Structures are given as C-alpha cells and as structure tokens.
Amino acid sequence: MNRLGLIRHGVTLWNQEGRFQGHTDITLASEGIQQAEALASRLREDEGAWDLIYTSDLSRAAMTAQIIADALGLKEIHFDARLREVSGGLLDGTTEEERVSKWGEDWYDYVTTLGLETEEQSVRRGLQCIEDMVSQHPGKRILLVSHGTFLSYMLNRLMPNDPNRPHLNNTSLTTLIRDAEVWQCELYNCTKHLVDIS
C-alpha cells in the first residue's frame, strides 16, 4: 500500500497578481515561504509519517519542498520535470485582463493555438511519474510538491468519481492511499496550518 501526499507550492508574486505561471520559473513570495514553513511544522508533528519527497524542478515548488525536507530530516529531494505546472505557452506571464486585451473575451477558445498544454498531455506525464515513483518505492509514503492546475488534472484522473472539487489552495495537503490499484482520498485541500498566517 502506498500513501501519497500532494502539496501545492507556496504563493508567489505572480499568484498574487493573478498571472498565469506555467513553466516560467518564479520563486516564492515572502508569504509563500511562511506558508511552506507552517506546513513543514505541521508535517513534523506527524513524526515518521513520510519517507520520501518528490518535487517539480521549478523554483516555487523546489523551495517549498526544501523547507519541508529540512523540517522532516529528509536528506534527499527527488526533482522531476514531469511534475511541472501545465505549460501556458503564450499565456505565461499574462493576467486575465492582458489576455482579453490581446486575444479577446473568448481567448480560451484558442488556447491550443496559443500553446497551452492540454489536460491529456499533462496527465500523461504525471501518471507516468507517479507510476515510476510507486514502482521504485513500494509501500513508501511519498510527498509530492507540484502546482495547482497540474495537481487538479491529476486528481481528475486518479479520482474520476469526484469531479466537482474546489481548486487546490497554496500549500494545501491532499493525501491519497492506493490499495489494489485504486486510489482513495483521505484528506483534500487541507490548509489548517495556515490559520495563524495573516
């Protein structure tokens, strides 16, 4: 039985500005560092609950993972580009207002021509990454630090019977357990560690 902890990275300046981040390498804002530290403290209270940590190689996820790994005493962080956010192509760096200004109110109808990675493309690389992790570390409890849209797409595939989930918050923790090839959700989008952060 494998246990998987899905974590969305801490908040960035572009999150705060409403900009599409995609593969652009944005670091955590000071608030995002505080969020990651709060999550790390929470996870440390669960002593011995996690064996490994994997992360997207983009800075906002990697910084979040490093803060958590340090708190948990995990000596190695596994970086994997397959855990990156959905690539936005020409959308990267833009706000909704800028997208409407450039491509019109119906800009989303043309996202493939603008270079947005499809859900199927994202899920394909993500599922392969998870299968590789599980096969390499059978029975282990693995933390996975990644990105909001990417993780939402993955959950759509891993939990297809629950399509109306809210979008994941920054540094939220979602835990899944796989038994007999089926993933079951234990905890979804939990941010109780952020209560004291203003």
Side-chain angles (χ1 to χ4, degrees), residues 5 13 15 17 35 62 74 90 95 105-106 114 171 180 182 194 198:
L13 182 61
N15 283 140
E17 294 176 351
Q35 290 175 330
L74 299 175
L90 296 176
T95 63
E105 295 281 349
D106 57 351
L114 297 173
T171 68
V182 176
L194 299 182
S198 55

Side-chain angles (χ1 to χ4, degrees), residues 156 161-166:
N156 288 345
N161 296 327
D162 184 17
N164 297 315
R165 296 177 301 274

